């Protein structure tokens, strides 16, 4: 059985982008692959976090994974910091990386710009830690949104570089991105990605938003003055974003949607998109509230940690033996 690894940072309230780009797609893989899904809290600390909030968000994110349909009998769900091999192999991957290639990462450049003069070094060494996450499980496939493409390319480069230097230790993983929903855009500035860290909460649909908020935010979404429903990312980013959200949930193609909405106004499209999003998120929100404080959640994460550790420790040992680090 092929192996899947993916992770989400507990660095803010999860968005519809995280859901359609990543989480929703994790679920079907659990029937066909050996799956490891992780709360990557050590990635979250690459920018300052308030400890109590980080602690709470870690279990909240685990509850969201389960509420979205992750079955702990099929997939392994765990917290990154509880499996020490992530940080250990992360160091190995840092020593396999070059400063120049890290400085070229667009996410690093974007995030560093927001930090002023004191740029945390962890922002730069973020990709080698992500590579370590994936390589520890010998993952074949990594389901992520489009914004992770550069990080996936560097992961492949580091795996190949390591294997070339020290012998074939790591599986070189492939990225898997969904056809619709791989890049959900801000509802207010549709040329910008929808993000957990956007200060404008009207621009973002959060996974746990109440129905009224979802409807209101979609109603207010930026469109254009042309009044034609057509997928055209360049010239009609707002309408195209609504069509992508529709497609990611309804499973329809853009051609089908353009036919369905021929002659209709933006109001109709917005109402239908809001109905689809509410229909998708409402059951998740309900299950989340049942799960979040339950003792079962702790048990699932304990078991997940043990299963993840069993696999990660084998790979880590192989890697350090190959490098001559094991006496
Ligand atoms: P993070 O926490 O920013 O996002 C989690 C997942 O959500 C996807 N995503 C989106 N997809 C579509 N539209 C959007 N607007 C949108 N915003 C976010 C991301 O692509 C991601 O799949 N580096 C990762 C976390 C990570 C990881 C890993 C992922 C650490 N180690 C190993 C995979 C494998 C990140 O920052 O995700």
């Amino acid at each position: 059985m092929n192996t899947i690894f993916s992770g989400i940072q507990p660095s803010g309230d999860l968005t519809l982008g995280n859901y359609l780009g990543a989480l929703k797609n994790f679920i079907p893989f659990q029937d066909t692959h050996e799956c490891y899904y992780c709360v990557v809290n050590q990635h979250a600390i690459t920018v300052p976090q308030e400890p109590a909030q980080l602690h709470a968000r870690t279990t909240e994110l685990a509850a969201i994974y389960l509420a979205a349909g992750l079955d702990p009998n099929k997939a392994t769900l765990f917290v990154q910091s509880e499996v020490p091999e992530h940080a250990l192999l992360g160091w190995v991957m840092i020593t396999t990386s070059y400063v120049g290639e890290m400085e070229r990462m667009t996410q690093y450049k974007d995030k560093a710009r927001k930090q002023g003069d004191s740029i945390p070094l962890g922002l730069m060494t973020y990709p080698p830690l992500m590579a370590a996450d994936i390589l520890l499980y010998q993952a074949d496939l990594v389901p992520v949104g489009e914004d992770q493409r550069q990080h996936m390319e560097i992961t492949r480069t580091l795996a190949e570089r390591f294997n070339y230097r020290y012998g074939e230790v790591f599986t070189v993983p492939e990225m898997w991105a969904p056809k619709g929903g791989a890049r959900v855009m801000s509802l207010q500035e549709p040329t910008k990605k929808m993000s957990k860290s956007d200060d404008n909460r009207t621009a973002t649909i959060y996974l746990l938003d109440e129905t009224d908020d979802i409807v209101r935010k979609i109603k207010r979404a930026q469109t254009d003055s042309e009044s034609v429903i057509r997928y055209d990312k360049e010239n009609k980013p707002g309408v195209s974003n609504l069509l992508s959200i529709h497609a990611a949930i309804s499973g329809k193609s853009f051609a089908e949607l353009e036919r369905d909405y021929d002659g209709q106004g933006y109001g109709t499209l917005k109402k239908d998109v809001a109905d689809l999003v509410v229909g998708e998120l409402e059951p998740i929100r309900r299950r989340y509230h049942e799960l979040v404080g339950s003792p079962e959640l702790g048990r699932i994460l304990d078991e997940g940690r043990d299963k993840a550790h069993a696999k990660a420790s084998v790979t880590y040992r192989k890697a350090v033996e190959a490098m001559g680090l094991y006496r």
Side-chain angles (χ1 to χ4, degrees):
M1 212 197 263
N2 282 351
T3 303
I4 297 262
F5 182 94
S6 200
I8 301 178
Q9 298 188 63
S11 53
D13 296 335
L14 247 61
T15 72
L16 184 66
N18 297 129
Y19 179 70
L20 296 179
L23 187 52
K24 179 178 164 71
N25 313 306
F26 294 174
I27 309 308
F29 282 122
Q30 59 190 359
D31 293 317
T32 51
H33 289 68
E34 181 180 333
C35 294
Y36 295 87
Y37 294 126
C38 187
V39 178
V40 289
N41 55 350
Q42 287 166 307
H43 279 92
I45 59 166
T46 54
V47 294
Q49 300 286 340
E50 205 278 299
Q53 194 175 49
L54 181 62
H55 184 264
R57 278 181 173 158
T58 300
T59 31
E60 285 162 13
L61 177 50
I64 287 180
Y65 268 112
L66 296 169
L70 188 144
D71 178 348
N73 295 314
K74 294 179 181 169
T76 302
L77 174 65
F78 70 104
V79 177
Q80 185 184 31
S81 61
E82 296 179 2
V83 178
E85 282 77 9
H86 287 258
L88 296 174
L89 191 68
W91 174 249
V92 168
M93 287 297 133
I94 286 173
T95 66
T96 311
S97 306
Y98 300 126
V99 171
E101 61 194 358
M102 295 304 131
E103 280 175 336
R104 282 195 295 276
M105 294 282 122
T106 50
Q107 192 161 308
Y108 165 71
K109 288 192 276 190
D110 290 348
K111 289 194 176 175
R113 212 175 294 126
K114 293 184 192 145
Q115 301 293 321
D117 288 338
S118 308
I119 301 165
L121 186 57
L123 271 185
M124 189 188 266
T125 60
Y126 182 115
L129 179 60
M130 176 160 161
D133 297 340
I134 296 165
L135 302 180
L136 277 174
Y137 300 90
Q138 305 286 23
D140 302 280
L141 216 55
V142 181
V144 279
E146 209 39 63
D147 63 331
Q148 297 300 313
R149 185 166 295 280
Q150 214 182 14
H151 288 161
M152 284 308 304
E153 279 163 9
I154 199 75
T155 297
R156 291 172 54 84
T157 301
L158 295 181
E160 282 164 357
R161 190 176 296 157
F162 185 100
N163 286 348
Y164 177 76
R165 284 186 187 162
Y166 306 113
E168 291 292 320
V169 171
F170 297 125
T171 303
V172 180
E174 302 275 345
M175 166 170 168
W176 184 96
K179 287 208 177 66
R183 195 170 176 84
V184 178
M185 309 307 273
S186 152
L187 296 178
Q188 291 301 317
E189 286 174 78
T191 51
K192 219 177 80 180
K193 158 183 108 161
M194 183 181 282
S195 159
K196 287 187 205 107
S197 54
D198 198 324
D199 294 331
N200 182 355
R201 292 187 72 91
T202 312
T204 310
I205 293 174
Y206 297 97
L207 230 58
L208 302 177
D209 267 351
E210 296 294 332
T211 299
D212 292 352
D213 290 323
I214 297 173
V215 172
R216 181 177 51 83
K217 289 177 186 182
I218 294 177
K219 225 183 210 168
R220 289 200 195 157
Q222 292 293 322
T223 49
D224 53 63
S225 54
E226 195 194 32
S227 294
V228 176
I229 298 177
R230 174 165 55 85
Y231 186 84
D232 176 351
K233 254 182 125 169
E234 282 284 296
N235 301 305
K236 298 170 72 67
V239 171
S240 302
N241 190 32
L242 292 173
L243 287 171
S244 313
I245 296 171
H246 194 309
I249 301 175
S250 67
K252 291 190 176 181
S253 69
F254 294 134
E256 260 176 283
L257 291 174
E258 285 174 0
R259 234 175 297 128
D260 290 353
Y261 287 103
D262 187 28
Q264 311 251 30
Y266 292 162
T268 313
L269 173 64
K270 285 179 170 177
K271 187 185 172 305
D272 291 352
V273 171
D275 285 347
L276 282 168
V277 173
V278 166
E280 188 84 6
L281 299 189
E282 205 263 335
I284 297 178
R285 188 168 71 238
R286 201 165 6 90
R287 280 196 298 271
Y288 168 81
H289 289 298
E290 288 161 14
L291 279 160
V292 71
S294 76
E296 196 194 339
L297 186 57
R299 259 197 321 273
I300 291 169
L301 290 176
D302 286 350
E303 261 175 46
R305 174 200 58 215
D306 294 345
K307 277 201 266 174
H309 184 246
K311 176 121 180 184
S313 57
V314 172
T315 313
Y316 180 69
R317 170 82 183 249
K318 260 195 208 158
V320 290
E321 273 181 359
M323 295 175 81
L325 280 174
Y326 211 82
R327 187 169 52 82

